[in-house]
Structures are given as C-alpha cells and as structure tokens.
C-alpha cells in the first residue's frame, strides 16, 4: 500500500488531557514536554489522536478546516504574488511569527498592481490528492472550510470554488485604485488572534460539536505551546500536513480512519467522474431527450422494434443510454436517453409514438434535460421507484446498460 498504518487504542489515567498525549504536558518555562507528535516525527511518521468513541472515522456531521499555503496549494501563495510583482520574498527575515512575516510581505506590495494576483491564479497548482480528499469528504456530508491569514482573499476564493468548499476565512490586502496599499483591510485584520474563535463560530453556525471540527495543515505547529494545547483539547483530530514534506494530501484520509481499500475505491470513483466530465465537455450542441416506453409482455426482438423508428433520425440523433426493467407481471419498461442535434424533439416524439402504437407499446412519458442533469429521477420513475443500475449518460459516446 501507500503507507504502513497502525491504530492503537489505549486506556488513560483519569483526568489525563488529550493535549498532554499529543503535544506534551506544560513545563515550568511555559513550553511542553515531549508528546506523541514529536516522537512520531523523530521516527519519520505522522499521527493523529482523538478520544475513543467506537467509530473508526469522523461522522458526516463534521467540519474540516484546511490551510492554504503548502497545504491545499503546493506553494506559499503570498510569496508567489511577490515574485509576480518582481519582489524577493526571501528578503523578509525568517524570524518571528508567520503572521509577522506575512505583514512585512504585504507591506512590500505597496504600490504594486493587483493584476499580479490573477497571474498567480492562472498558474496555481493544487497539492496532489487535494481534489480527491475534498470530493470524498463532501460526498460523506462533511462541511469544508479554508482558514488562512496569507492576505490574498481572491486566491483563497478561487481555491474554494475549484475544490467545492463551503467557507473561506482569510485576511485580505487593502487595495485602492487597483494598487496594493501595503496594509490589511476588512474585518479579519486581526485574524491571527482569533483563529480559535473563528473555528468555534463556523462550528456553531453549522450546529457542529467542537470535537467534530477537524484541522488539516500546520495550525498547531504555528502556535505557542499553551495555544496548541488549547486547540488540541477543544477541537477534533488535528492532521499535520505540509506539501514540501508529505507531497500527497491523501495521507489525511488514512489519518482520519480510512483504510487502503477505501482510498482505492475513492480514487477509482474520482477517475470515473473526471473521465465522464471530459467526455461530456466535448459533447456536440443539441438537446437531450428522455423517453420511457412500456410493453405488456417480453418477446424477442422487442427492443429492436422500439429502436427502428429512431434510425431515420441518424446521424442527427444519438442514443446515449438504454435501460430496461423487467416487471413482475411479465411486461417491461425501457428508457431511452437521446441526444438530438438538429431535429426538434417534438418531431422525434411523434414518430416514436406512432411506431409504438403500431407495435402495441405505450409511451409512459418524455422530458427534455440539460446535458449536466443526472438520470436519477428518470431512472426511479422508470423502475417504479426502484433505483436501477444506470450509468450517467455521456453524449458523444454510446453507453448501453441493460438491467434484467
């Protein structure tokens, strides 16, 4: 597999805090003793820790919060903006907090055009596995958010749209007449002091328990010892990730309780979705049309007789999907998903109605559909409320599915 994974359940003394296990106990000088996180890093491993609740992964009523730079993206976003503006981010001393360094970098942008932001967006690369992780968690019902203080909200909003996330909490650099002023603006100018409060706010808005707020990124490592213990103790699992060290965000799924089989299945589904989307994007212009036909009995050659009246419309008409459902009374229902390029669907329907009447078939219904619509409702109606094994139609290639 990709990783060797070990899950350990231990019994702890009463009143032992989770933060003590994870980041260590507080010491007299305000730091922390050695915790499991540090031990894991010393041995080239990653870990996450949570209280046992008889579930091997978080439930769907959870909020997952990601960072941006070197987390969802493979670069430090603010540094890339500086480079596009002809500035050297390395000139800022790597001293003090990340927040202080970012303030100095934003100050360097004073007088520079905001057009550099779009140039960064045009070449921005997501961390390998980011799309898979976000789509998998969204499919399971999780709410997703970005929390960042890099100061370029336009880029954060772009990432939100691309990955299908729900929230963005970000500081933003002030702009006047298309030029950066070198200062922060907006309500989140002091976001570095209120990250825990913002996490609580998002959780309360969604009605999510604090223990079901999951952090993915470097949030805890950027905090002092006392604040790190507070975050670990207040919120749910904290998954460390930095793209310069770990390369693939998929590791977060393993640390959240997914196994290798789960991840392989998610990858396959993601590849199928991308493949279907690529075919659909190359579909010819036209109208998609669904027709449902029933017959009182099942005889050899019936399907061919139903398709015969449609043959006169080729090549302007394509059959994307055919679905058949056998009924208990000996009859059957057939659904056609058609793609009409030139002919009007009304003319096609008239021909089909006439042919079906001659063959003692009945047209149950018909409808126009947009190319991006799903087939779930039509399939349910065709199967009398039962879900059939019907693949989503992809105009541009024929896909025949017969369910008996």
């Amino acid at each position: 597999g990709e990783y060797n994974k070990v899950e350990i359940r231990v019994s702890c003394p009463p009143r032992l805090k989770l933060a003590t296990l994870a980041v260590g106990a507080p010491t007299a000088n305000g730091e922390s003793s050695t915790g499991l996180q540090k031990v894991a890093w010393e041995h080239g491993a990653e870990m996450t820790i949570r209280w046992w609740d008889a579930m091997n992964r978080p439930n769907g009523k959870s909020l997952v919060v990601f960072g941006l730079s070197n987390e969802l993206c493979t670069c430090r976003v603010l540094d890339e903006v500086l480079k596009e503006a002809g500035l050297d981010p390395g000139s800022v001393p790597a001293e003090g907090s990340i927040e202080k360094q970012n303030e100095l970098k934003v100050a360097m942008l004073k007088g520079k055009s905001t057009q550099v932001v779009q140039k960064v967006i045009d070449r921005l690369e997501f961390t390998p596995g980011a799309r898979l992780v976000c789509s998998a968690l969204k499919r399971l019902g999780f709410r997703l958010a970005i929390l960042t203080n890099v100061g370029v909200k336009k880029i954060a909003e772009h990432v939100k749209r691309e990955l299908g996330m729900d929230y963005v909490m970000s500081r933003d650099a002030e702009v006047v007449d298309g030029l950066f002023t070198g200062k922060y603006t907006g309500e989140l100018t002091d976001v570095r002091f209120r990250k825990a409060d913002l996490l609580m706010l998002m959780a309360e808005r969604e009605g999510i328990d604090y223990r079901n707020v999951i952090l993915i990124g470097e949030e805890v490592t950027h905090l002092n010892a006392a604040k790190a213990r507070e975050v670990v103790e207040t919120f749910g699992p904290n998954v460390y990730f930095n793209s310069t060290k770990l390369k693939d965000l998929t590791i977060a799924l393993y640390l959240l309780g997914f196994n290798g089989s789960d991840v392989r299945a998610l990858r396959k589904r993601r590849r199928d979705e991308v493949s279907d989307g690529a075919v659909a994007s190359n579909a010819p212009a036209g109208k998609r049309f669904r027709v449902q036909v029933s017959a009182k009995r099942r005889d050899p050659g019936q399907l061919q007789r139903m398709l015969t009246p449609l043959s006169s419309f080729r090549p302007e008409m394509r059959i994307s999907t055919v679905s058949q459902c056998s009924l208990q009374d000996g009859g059957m229902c057939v659904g056609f998903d058609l793609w009409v390029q030139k002919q009007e669907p009304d003319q096609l329907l008239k021909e089909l109605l006439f042919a079906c009447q001659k063959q003692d078939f009945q047209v149950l219904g018909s409808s126009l559909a947009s190319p991006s619509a799903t087939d779930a409702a039509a399939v349910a109606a065709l199967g009398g409320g039962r879900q059939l094994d019907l693949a989503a139609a992809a105009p541009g290639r024929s896909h025949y599915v017969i369910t008996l």
Side-chain angles (χ1 to χ4, degrees), residues 167-309:
Y167 298 102
V168 167
M169 291 286 188
S170 173
R171 303 174 81 180
D172 200 10
E174 185 179 56
V175 176
V176 175
D177 297 329
L179 302 176
F180 290 108
T181 66
K183 301 177 181 178
Y184 284 112
T185 188
E187 298 177 357
L188 300 184
T189 53
D190 59 343
V191 69
R192 66 185 185 276
F193 302 116
R194 302 192 289 115
K195 280 192 174 181
D197 293 336
L198 291 170
L199 292 171
M200 292 179 181
L201 180 64
M202 286 188 285
E204 290 169 358
R205 177 176 177 178
E206 293 294 330
I208 294 174
D209 188 271
Y210 294 161
R211 292 287 178 89
N212 288 330
V213 176
I214 301 164
L215 305 179
I216 298 180
E218 298 182 282
E219 294 301 328
V220 172
T221 58
H222 289 162
L223 301 175
N224 62 40
K227 290 182 178 179
R229 285 193 296 271
E230 179 185 358
V231 168
V232 171
E233 197 62 41
T234 302
F235 302 106
N238 175 72
V239 178
Y240 171 82
F241 183 83
N242 182 295
S243 62
T244 62
K245 177 183 178 182
L246 298 173
K247 307 303 181 183
D248 195 322
L249 191 57
T250 309
I251 192 175
L253 295 177
Y254 288 94
L255 291 171
L256 290 176
F258 293 80
N259 58 37
S261 297
D262 296 329
V263 175
R264 283 193 295 273
L266 291 169
R267 276 205 174 98
K268 182 179 183 302
R269 177 174 292 185
R270 175 68 186 168
R271 285 195 300 268
D272 291 344
E273 289 174 349
V274 171
S275 176
D276 286 344
V279 172
S281 66
N282 294 321
K287 294 182 179 180
R288 187 172 168 185
F289 196 67
R290 299 192 185 110
V291 180
Q292 301 161 30
V293 180
S294 71
K296 295 180 180 179
R297 62 184 186 278
R298 297 190 298 273
D299 295 325
Q302 276 182 309
L303 189 58
Q304 182 179 356
R305 293 197 296 274
M306 289 181 182
L307 293 172
T308 297

Side-chain angles (χ1 to χ4, degrees), residues 272-273 275-281 283 287-290 318-323 335-339 369-376 378-379 389-401:
D272 291 344
E273 289 174 349
S275 176
D276 286 344
V279 172
S281 66
K287 294 182 179 180
R288 187 172 168 185
F289 196 67
R290 299 192 185 110
R318 297 184 182 185
I319 301 174
S320 297
T321 307
V322 179
S323 177
F336 300 101
D337 203 317
L338 312 174
W339 191 258
S370 64
S372 60
T374 61
D375 295 274
V379 174
D389 182 16
L390 175 62
R397 70 177 181 188
S398 296
H399 194 149
Y400 305 102
V401 182

